[in-house]
Amino acid sequence: MEIYLDANATTPVLPQAKAAAIQAMVEDYGNPSSVHSTGLKAKALIDGVRARAQRLLDTGDGASLLFTSGATEGIQTAVLSALNSLRGNLKIDLLLYGATEHKAVPEALKHWNEVLGLRLQILAIPVDTQGRHDLAFLRQHSARAGLVCTMAANNETGVISDLDGIEAALAGSPALWLVDGVQALGKLPLRLQARRIDYAPFSGHKLYAPKGIGLLYVRAGAPFTPLMAGGGQEGSLRSGTENMSGIAALGAVLAALDDGQTLRDAATMQGFRARLGEALVEAFPGLVFNAPLDLSLPTTLNFAVPGLSSRLLQDLFDAADVRVSGGSACSAAKAAPSFVLQAMGLPDWQAAGAVRLSIGPAVDEAFIDEACARIRACGESLRRHCLSPANNFPTIGDGITRFMQDGACCYLLADSVSKSCVLIDARPEQVCRLAQALTCQAYPLLAVLSTTGEAEHAQARELLAETVPELMPNKPADALGWPLGQAAITLGAQELTRKIDGQGQVLLLGKVACATPVLAFIGLNDAESLSAWVGSETLLAPARDEAQQLALFLKNERQAEEEEAAVQQVQGAQLKAFMSYHPDALLIDVREPYEQFLSHTPELPTAQMEALPLSRMLNAMQAWLSEQPQRPLLFFCRTGNRSRQAALALTRLGHAQAWTLAGGLALLPSAARPMHQPDPALYV
Ligand code: PLP
């Protein structure tokens, strides 16, 4: 079962809202502008929903409450209305918005300011470390402002704005006031009638109505310019035939708010959030909340965990079928820090590592129980895989593990028989993570090497010596980390030798006393010099891999500009057919072990399945290429990104049957997900 903890992004549709929408589509499908009975019925429905919304939002008489397509439309309408009224007003030269507003607000200000040719200055109102508006700034600038936009509660952090303080700071200001009420709907009373708020947009899909329906409150007497002109619907304030199924569904949600049974009150939600918070703190030692809980909606938690990226945490939660959101926009390679948390002045690691967990008021005790259990399982998975900030399990290290940092690759070579290891091209930013991995496996390091001789590698070596002095090599080494006077470093049945190349060295790994190396760790070497030391079958593991190639052969290195090989894809819907056509296919889960651990039982019992995280792929590539060059290999992961990388790398290296599951597990119905059991031998 999916545990959906992303209600601030959107919510599922309440069953009664779905029923109301279907009724409006199938039975009461009239156009409310028609004067016949079917139309009158539709008109009565709209009037009823509007009246209920007016009462629940406390709009008072005389104000307008329009049905819109959502909050973005409401914001456009409000901004257009306000800015249109400012034309020719020479006392106004400023538009203000809170620094943590949803992008729809500043973008609408910019857009309509340009379209209307107003050339007003647009300024962000700073927020403090708690995410609250700087009221002194507002007081200072409000006399020149034509429009002030401040959200009621923030979508990323849940921080509730001090609307009374803002109203007081606006005393004497000519500014119109827009309050984005999206995250407050059903959670926080806005007292629209009592406050001087001029415009307040709302969105149905944040509170169990479908997408495509919203509301816009406009105070009596506030300037108004329709965004859409046409048939004169909504008293000519918003033309276009009404979204009757959306309105009916929203009506059912508002009725649920009214009945006091379906949706929980703030105190209950506070209790639920406290339980989720406790589970998080227990699962992730050192976790920090990014916003003060007592100033936030009781439905939102935004947090970061030292040493764990937002991306890693999202992958982890998703593997446990728990849907959360990154508090920041993530690209495949790097998480962009959240502008909301940056505006609050939080440290970079918190802004870049943020995760948001949000619930809606329809959740119940059993749901929270399950959510807490899954969060604890996530913590357990991290502990078992040596990624928890504390209390990790010992692990057995064996083979090669690759650690990536902004395109740079570090390799940890471990041998479980001799219980020793070697580190290649470590960077200072990775030291915490590497020290954790080294401590969990507790093998002494035989060398900490650099292929390029760059200063960062030497710095990392020094930092490691401070962090894990007991595991550092005990022999003196040269500037590249190579033990003085030693021709080879023996790692169990394998040995590492080296060739000096300019400032750096090429590190050759092969069986003891075997002439051709199986693997070469390369730095900035050119193909010419490499060809003297490696064979055509030697895999080259690069010190940088921005192109996400994983590994190369010398011939690929020579054809550096070679076009990207086409990757063979299997669509989710074709998976069963693919398996019957290729019964010998090997399905390879390239997700990390901490994700695999949280997965459930196999649903493709006949399929041969293997777990090989992308970070450990170097250990298997040679065998797949030389021993199983014709065997279909179908790589899969959560979203299809990592499996694509793996399939592409194998294809480029010459494997004829490397496939990726396009879109990953995320696009498969859960019943069809190929899963394998975690290997208990990985832990001791
Ligand atoms: N304002 C806030 C605070 C939001 O959270 C959102 C949605 O993410 C919007 C505006 C935009 O709402 P809609 O999706 O209805 O256009």
Side-chain angles (χ1 to χ4, degrees):
M1 177 182 79
E2 170 180 281
I3 294 291
Y4 184 80
L5 300 177
D6 201 14
N8 287 11
T10 196
T11 50
V13 173
L14 270 189
Q16 51 270 54
K18 176 181 161 189
I22 292 173
Q23 169 92 10
M25 281 190 274
V26 180
E27 314 238 341
D28 303 328
Y29 48 79
N31 183 332
S33 298
S34 306
V35 292
H36 50 61
S37 306
T38 311
L40 292 177
K41 224 170 170 182
K43 173 84 168 62
L45 173 79
I46 290 205
D47 291 345
V49 175
R50 196 186 325 266
R52 194 189 284 273
Q54 281 168 329
R55 189 165 43 73
L56 280 166
L57 292 172
D58 192 16
T59 62
D61 297 332
S64 305
L65 193 60
L66 315 180
F67 291 108
T68 62
S69 63
T72 302
E73 184 193 324
I75 291 165
Q76 305 307 306
T77 308
V79 170
L80 168 65
S81 298
L83 267 58
N84 207 19
S85 78
L86 297 175
R87 284 178 198 250
N89 186 338
L90 300 179
K91 292 193 192 124
I92 299 298
D93 66 353
L94 208 55
L95 303 171
L96 295 174
Y97 69 96
T100 58
E101 290 297 303
H102 187 278
K103 282 287 173 218
V105 169
E107 290 303 314
L109 291 175
K110 223 167 68 189
H111 178 70
W112 291 109
N113 192 33
E114 261 172 44
V115 170
L116 298 173
L118 294 182
R119 296 166 182 261
L120 298 173
Q121 188 186 359
I122 303 175
L123 266 190
I125 309 163
V127 296
D128 61 18
T129 50
Q130 301 195 313
R132 292 286 192 94
H133 298 90
D134 181 341
L135 297 182
F137 179 96
L138 185 56
R139 261 192 301 277
Q140 193 192 336
H141 291 86
S142 64
R144 291 163 45 212
L147 175 64
V148 172
C149 307
T150 56
M151 61 198 339
N154 185 270
N155 45 309
E156 284 191 26
T157 58
V159 168
I160 299 168
S161 297
D162 174 10
L163 292 183
D164 290 332
I166 293 169
E167 183 160 25
L170 290 178
S173 160
L176 293 158
W177 187 17
L178 183 159
V179 172
D180 176 344
V182 169
Q183 297 294 343
L185 187 64
K187 301 165 198 164
L188 195 67
L190 289 187
R191 298 196 288 116
L192 291 173
Q193 183 172 196
R195 289 184 169 130
R196 68 172 265 189
I197 296 169
D198 294 288
Y199 309 100
F202 300 93
S203 183
H205 74 97
K206 308 284 183 177
L207 192 73
Y208 303 112
K211 289 148 196 76
I213 186 67
L215 287 164
L216 175 65
Y217 162 83
V218 184
R219 187 180 54 77
F224 193 88
T225 302
L227 183 67
M228 299 201 285
Q233 288 88 345
E234 295 286 272
S236 290
L237 300 181
R238 198 263 187 194
S239 286
T241 302
E242 294 84 347
N243 170 3
M244 291 307 298
S245 55
I247 292 170
L250 182 61
V253 171
L254 297 176
L257 262 181
D258 246 354
D259 74 18
Q261 304 288 318
T262 319
L263 303 177
R264 321 270 162 253
D265 61 14
T268 311
M269 296 309 291
Q270 209 128 25
F272 286 167
R273 182 183 62 175
R275 290 190 51 209
L276 293 170
E278 276 164 30
L280 285 170
V281 168
E282 208 179 289
F284 307 108
L287 173 146
V288 288
F289 291 109
N290 290 328
L293 299 187
D294 54 340
L295 293 182
S296 308
L297 289 173
T299 44
T300 308
L301 284 164
N302 190 309
F303 63 90
V305 185
L308 298 180
S309 68
S310 173
R311 184 58 197 253
L312 181 148
L313 286 165
Q314 284 179 77
D315 286 342
L316 179 75
F317 279 110
D318 218 49
D321 263 348
V322 176
R323 310 289 175 242
V324 299
S325 136
S328 54
C330 278
S331 71
K334 206 176 174 188
S338 146
F339 76 91
V340 169
L341 301 180
Q342 279 182 323
M344 289 165 65
L346 295 192
D348 285 349
W349 74 268
Q350 266 173 264
V355 172
R356 178 186 72 187
L357 190 155
S358 51
I359 47 178
V363 299
D364 59 15
E365 198 84 40
F367 177 90
I368 297 294
D369 288 346
E370 183 59 26
C372 290
R374 303 261 186 108
I375 289 169
R376 290 194 172 93
C378 288
E380 176 70 5
S381 181
L382 288 188
R383 270 190 295 283
R384 284 178 177 269
H385 298 95
C386 198
L387 276 159
S388 173
N391 310 328
N392 285 309
F393 283 42
T395 52
I396 297 171
D398 207 25
I400 303 165
T401 308
R402 182 171 96 148
F403 297 84
M404 288 293 288
Q405 179 82 38
D406 301 336
C409 313
C410 162
Y411 301 93
L412 175 62
L413 281 53
D415 177 58
S416 59
V417 178
S418 63
K419 294 201 184 324
S420 53
C421 63
V422 168
L423 205 48
I424 298 172
D425 291 346
R427 305 186 76 78
E429 314 86 273
Q430 297 173 304
V431 164
C432 280
R433 172 78 194 93
L434 292 170
Q436 222 171 7
L438 291 167
T439 309
C440 284
Q441 75 182 23
Y443 301 165
L445 277 160
L446 301 179
V448 182
L449 301 164
S450 167
T451 56
T452 58
E454 62 201 90
E456 278 86 352
H457 296 160
Q459 273 169 24
R461 205 177 306 143
E462 282 166 26
L463 284 171
L464 277 167
E466 287 168 21
T467 323
V468 284
E470 70 286 2
L471 297 174
M472 291 301 278
N474 50 19
K475 290 188 183 148
D478 65 17
L480 296 171
W482 192 265
L484 290 178
Q486 222 170 290
I489 300 170
T490 308
L491 259 179
Q494 302 196 92
E495 67 176 13
L496 204 58
T497 55
R498 66 140 166 200
K499 301 288 176 195
I500 294 286
D501 190 17
Q503 302 289 310
Q505 60 188 345
V506 176
L507 298 165
L508 306 168
L509 184 71
K511 288 229 163 67
V512 172
C514 194
T516 319
V518 180
L519 206 66
F521 298 92
I522 62 169
L524 305 169
N525 327 88
D526 59 37
E528 206 60 36
S529 49
L530 283 175
S531 60
W533 304 317
V534 306
S536 59
E537 303 295 297
T538 307
L539 267 185
L540 309 180
R544 296 204 69 87
D545 189 20
E546 273 90 358
Q548 304 183 328
Q549 294 190 309
L550 295 180
L552 321 157
F553 284 136
L554 197 51
K555 65 173 190 280
N556 305 109
E557 173 83 341
R558 285 214 179 98
Q559 307 160 355
E561 300 302 315
E562 182 194 35
E563 275 176 59
E564 190 180 80
V567 65
Q568 306 183 89
Q569 303 192 359
V570 178
Q571 303 298 328
Q574 302 164 341
L575 180 59
K576 284 223 158 88
F578 176 86
M579 291 308 297
S580 49
Y581 196 70
H582 299 288
D584 60 331
L586 180 63
L587 270 65
I588 302 152
D589 183 353
V590 298
R591 295 175 305 157
E592 292 301 311
Y594 53 86
E595 297 164 76
Q596 294 165 350
F597 178 79
L598 293 161
S599 301
H600 308 293
T601 43
E603 287 292 338
L604 289 172
T606 54
Q608 291 194 53
M609 205 106 47
E610 208 170 90
L612 200 85
L614 199 63
S615 61
R616 311 243 327 138
M617 197 123 298
L618 275 177
N619 298 296
M621 284 175 135
Q622 287 281 18
W624 287 332
L625 288 165
S626 58
E627 293 160 27
Q628 308 187 315
Q630 294 303 327
R631 181 172 189 189
L633 305 174
L634 174 60
F635 296 95
F636 67 92
C637 64
R638 180 167 81 83
T639 63
N641 265 336
R642 288 171 286 181
S643 58
R644 186 171 191 284
Q645 263 184 66
L648 200 50
L650 266 272
T651 306
R652 203 181 271 121
L653 293 170
H655 198 286
Q657 291 281 0
W659 299 76
T660 177
L661 180 65
L665 298 173
L667 299 190
L668 287 184
S670 45
R673 288 182 191 173
M675 298 292 178
H676 67 91
Q677 296 291 359
D679 178 3
L682 280 171
Y683 322 108
V684 289

